[in-house]
Amino acid sequence: MATSTQQKQELFKSIWAIANELRGSVDGWDFKQYVLGMLFYRYISENITNYINSEQRKAGYPNFDYAAFDDAQAEGARATIVAEKGFFILPSQLFCNVRKRASHDDNLNMTLAAAFKSIEASAIGTDSEDDMRGLFDDLDVNSSKLGSSVDKRNERLVRILDAVGDMDLEGPQGNKIDAFGDAYEFLMKMYAGNAGKSGGEFFTPQEVSELLARIATHNKTKVRKVYDPACGSGSLLMQVAKVIGKENVQQGFFGQEINQTTYNLCRINMFLHDINYNHFDIALGDTLLEPSTKHMEDDQPFDVIVSNPPYSIKWKGDDSPVLINDRRFAPAGVLAPKSKADLAFTMHMLSWLAPDGAAAIVEFPGVLYRGGAEQKIRQYLIDNNYVDTVIQLPQNLFFGVSIATCIIVIRKNKTDNQVLFIDASNEFVHEGNKNKLSEENIQHILSLYVKRENVQHLASLINNTAIAENSYNISVNSYVEQEDTREEIDIDQLNAQIAEIVARENELRQQIDELIANL
């Protein structure tokens, strides 16, 4: 497989064409589970096969092929393999073998269902049980969406197996791991883009994710723990892995997601990027009301937090008698409004942020200037010098959201009592019906962030006292004066031109009056 970006894009186009051709009358948003799920099934089958083959060849069996091995004999290695990989797959249940028999298997749906159940069951009672549980729940091989009869469902399942099996995922320089992960991210992006508003709920555009990751990891070559409390499908966590290298994240990747399907997508995403089960912990549940206790069991807070939490969602707020005493929210002395939980997520992240850490958070713009409880929370953040930077982003960057969002960077170890405001509202290129951050845009924003100095029309460094005097308003346009691009007008010259026009008009009227008199 070729290595250039252009050729990679050609692969992505063919993958998307296959996905669209396969779905038939099934809505693309519903059908994504089948393409993504089968891609995952293929990946873990090849992953475990390559692992076992490699170990056997090291042991002196150069021609060993796990796919051709006997199920009964394979059972002897089950415990060892589960301890290493987090799951086990019998040779007969490998993707390649099920696919090989699929067109002649009248019970293909049952064969697949049994394989999925067996893979998940292999982790029961082990350290990887939570990471494997329910991963195939959304890949319902008996759904009427696939066809009105068993035969029609099996016919479509054969086509999905063949299409996913035929995908050329060898990757640049034979790097199959990256190719699987890239293909998965590409498919999620395309499904999100075609899903409208709901797509934005589980996928942050790659360019925005990269900007957040590079901000939060600035000046770091190694980090302890990476966290996203509203992790969606894990795109932000994976960007940190790409930016700093997953081998440089010492204790792993942590996240929480409230939506079951998206939670499954996130865990699959981890596996497809070769993040082993013992190096990630993704929890299912409501982060604000029931944060995962496992994430803080070692009493070590997170030194990198990246997040794009849902905008202005409702939550219990002061309807709950216990939240105001929660150690995450109590320091501000007030809870985020019941109709707008944005700053509740911010307070949660601040609470779980390490003293030397950084949190880069995408926020709804209203949190920057609204009054009431949100103003009081901003006061707490400013008075305690936690707000490091506020970046105004361009509009129309996100799926299903056309408004211009912003990024708030939170730190606990600032060396000054100032906030940097960056106006990046014009940092974009137009692509299709969306705006996008180009690599040049990202670099320019990062350079402003790193320099941390005043740049006319682009960046302003403002003392916390001045922000307090401005009612704790932290909207960028309050501190960065936009460049006036209107044409400069010479008033004296304009008045002279007007005088000439008036004189000429009077002359013409006089000539007309004379003509009328002569008539």
Side-chain angles (χ1 to χ4, degrees):
M1 176 179 161
T3 61
S4 73
T5 299
Q6 183 178 356
Q7 286 163 322
K8 183 187 278 190
Q9 290 301 321
E10 288 301 315
L11 167 63
F12 289 166
K13 286 181 184 177
S14 67
I15 291 173
W16 184 241
I18 290 169
N20 264 342
E21 190 273 332
L22 283 174
R23 72 181 180 90
S25 60
V26 183
D27 181 80
W29 188 241
D30 292 330
F31 195 65
K32 74 181 185 301
Q33 274 83 261
Y34 294 98
V35 177
L36 297 174
M38 285 297 188
L39 187 67
F40 172 62
Y41 177 35
R42 175 185 163 184
Y43 171 78
I44 60 173
S45 293
E46 293 183 8
N47 181 277
I48 201 168
T49 298
N50 292 339
Y51 169 73
I52 295 171
N53 288 350
S54 175
E55 293 298 306
Q56 288 298 309
R57 286 161 193 171
K58 287 177 188 175
Y61 302 96
N63 299 316
F64 184 85
D65 180 11
Y66 184 65
F69 205 50
D70 179 71
D71 279 0
Q73 289 180 286
E75 283 288 356
R78 176 184 287 268
T80 302
I81 293 169
V82 170
E84 176 62 30
K85 306 301 293 183
F87 61 91
F88 179 75
I89 307 177
L90 289 167
S92 65
Q93 294 181 328
L94 292 168
F95 177 94
C96 62
N97 287 332
V98 171
R99 180 194 176 191
K100 194 183 300 181
R101 302 186 302 265
S103 60
H104 306 292
D105 186 353
D106 294 336
N107 299 308
L108 177 60
N109 59 327
M110 295 173 64
T111 299
L112 285 167
F116 300 156
K117 184 177 180 180
S118 176
I119 294 168
E120 288 187 20
S122 69
I124 293 175
T126 73
D127 291 342
S128 60
E129 180 174 358
D130 290 343
D131 301 311
M132 295 299 299
R133 183 188 295 116
L135 278 177
F136 291 100
D137 282 358
D138 296 305
L139 213 171
D140 184 1
V141 292
N142 294 303
S143 172
S144 59
K145 292 177 181 177
L146 288 174
S148 56
S149 66
V150 172
D151 287 344
K152 288 182 178 178
R153 291 169 205 162
N154 284 345
E155 181 182 333
R156 181 164 282 175
L157 288 169
V158 170
R159 292 173 62 207
I160 297 171
L161 283 165
D162 285 341
V164 171
D166 286 341
M167 288 180 183
D168 179 8
L169 297 174
E170 186 59 32
Q173 290 84 45
N175 193 343
K176 186 172 286 192
I177 289 170
D178 284 350
F180 267 104
D182 288 346
Y184 188 71
E185 284 186 14
F186 168 77
L187 282 166
M188 285 195 292
K189 174 183 176 181
M190 296 306 294
Y191 281 125
N194 284 267
K197 185 176 180 180
S198 59
E201 295 176 2
F202 84 107
F203 187 81
T204 301
Q206 184 174 349
E207 299 77 23
V208 180
S209 299
E210 181 183 346
L211 177 60
L212 290 171
R214 290 172 71 173
I215 287 172
T217 60
H218 176 63
N219 275 342
K220 296 178 185 290
T221 56
K222 288 185 181 293
V223 300
R224 296 183 297 274
K225 301 166 69 176
V226 181
Y227 177 57
D228 183 350
C231 60
S233 58
S235 52
L236 276 164
L237 294 171
M238 289 301 91
Q239 272 301 318
V240 174
K242 285 185 177 181
V243 166
I244 202 169
K246 58 179 179 283
E247 69 280 2
N248 294 316
V249 180
Q250 296 166 335
Q251 295 181 41
F253 301 84
F254 299 78
Q256 188 156 346
E257 172 56 39
I258 196 169
N259 179 280
Q260 175 82 48
T261 296
T262 314
Y263 161 70
N264 290 340
L265 287 174
C266 184
R267 291 183 296 155
I268 289 173
N269 204 5
M270 295 289 137
F271 280 108
L272 284 173
H273 282 87
D274 200 38
I275 309 293
N276 205 24
Y277 78 92
N278 56 9
H279 211 57
F280 73 83
D281 191 323
I282 308 300
L284 176 65
D286 188 325
T287 297
L288 298 180
L289 302 183
E290 298 174 345
S292 172
T293 54
K294 283 180 64 180
H295 290 171
M296 294 295 286
E297 276 181 351
D298 58 4
D299 292 323
Q300 286 195 18
F302 301 99
D303 50 339
V304 172
I305 299 178
V306 284
S307 193
N308 178 19
Y311 307 141
S312 299
I313 61 166
K314 296 178 180 178
W315 76 308
K316 281 189 175 182
D318 57 17
D319 278 350
S320 168
V322 298
L323 287 175
I324 193 58
N325 296 314
D326 190 302
R327 73 176 184 86
R328 298 170 295 162
F329 311 123
V334 66
L335 295 170
K338 287 182 289 187
S339 60
K340 302 175 183 69
D342 308 72
L343 289 181
F345 281 102
T346 305
M347 289 296 295
H348 168 86
M349 285 181 256
L350 175 66
S351 172
W352 287 24
L353 182 65
D356 60 344
I361 312 160
V362 178
E363 301 270 14
F364 188 83
V367 305
L368 303 178
Y369 56 80
R370 288 189 297 234
E374 290 180 309
Q375 183 185 35
K376 292 178 181 177
I377 295 173
R378 290 197 306 274
Q379 179 177 350
Y380 167 76
L381 295 173
I382 294 296
D383 286 351
N384 287 276
N385 201 29
Y386 292 136
V387 181
D388 178 85
T389 305
V390 182
I391 304 171
Q392 179 63 61
L393 293 174
Q395 62 183 4
N396 201 28
L397 285 180
F398 294 84
F399 299 111
V401 180
S402 61
I403 58 168
T405 55
C406 62
I407 296 172
I408 295 181
V409 183
I410 302 290
R411 291 184 183 275
K412 292 181 175 178
N413 63 343
K414 288 174 60 183
T415 57
D416 60 25
N417 291 307
Q418 298 171 306
V419 176
L420 177 66
F421 293 91
I422 297 175
D423 185 356
S425 57
N426 293 317
E427 294 285 346
F428 68 89
V429 293
H430 201 65
E431 188 176 274
N433 62 352
K434 303 296 294 180
N435 291 333
K436 176 183 175 181
L437 299 177
S438 67
E439 182 57 33
E440 291 76 16
N441 296 142
I442 293 172
Q443 288 292 352
H444 190 206
I445 296 169
L446 283 170
S447 70
L448 293 169
Y449 172 74
V450 171
K451 288 178 181 176
R452 198 169 177 81
E453 60 188 30
N454 294 310
V455 179
Q456 189 176 23
H457 307 308
L458 292 175
S460 294
L461 202 53
I462 306 296
N463 286 323
N464 289 340
T465 52
I467 296 171
E469 290 168 2
N470 193 25
S471 303
Y472 295 96
N473 182 328
I474 57 172
S475 59
V476 172
N477 60 14
S478 294
Y479 304 101
V480 181
E481 181 183 2
Q482 290 199 336
E483 184 176 5
D484 189 347
T485 57
R486 294 174 297 178
E487 183 182 355
E488 192 172 313
I489 298 172
D490 187 324
I491 298 299
D492 291 337
Q493 183 182 2
L494 179 61
N495 286 336
Q497 289 174 343
I498 291 172
E500 287 179 13
I501 292 170
V502 170
R504 177 60 178 157
E505 187 179 62
N506 289 336
E507 184 181 337
L508 289 171
R509 282 177 177 169
Q510 186 177 350
Q511 291 174 359
I512 292 169
D513 289 342
E514 289 175 359
L515 285 171
I516 292 172
N518 290 333
L519 290 173

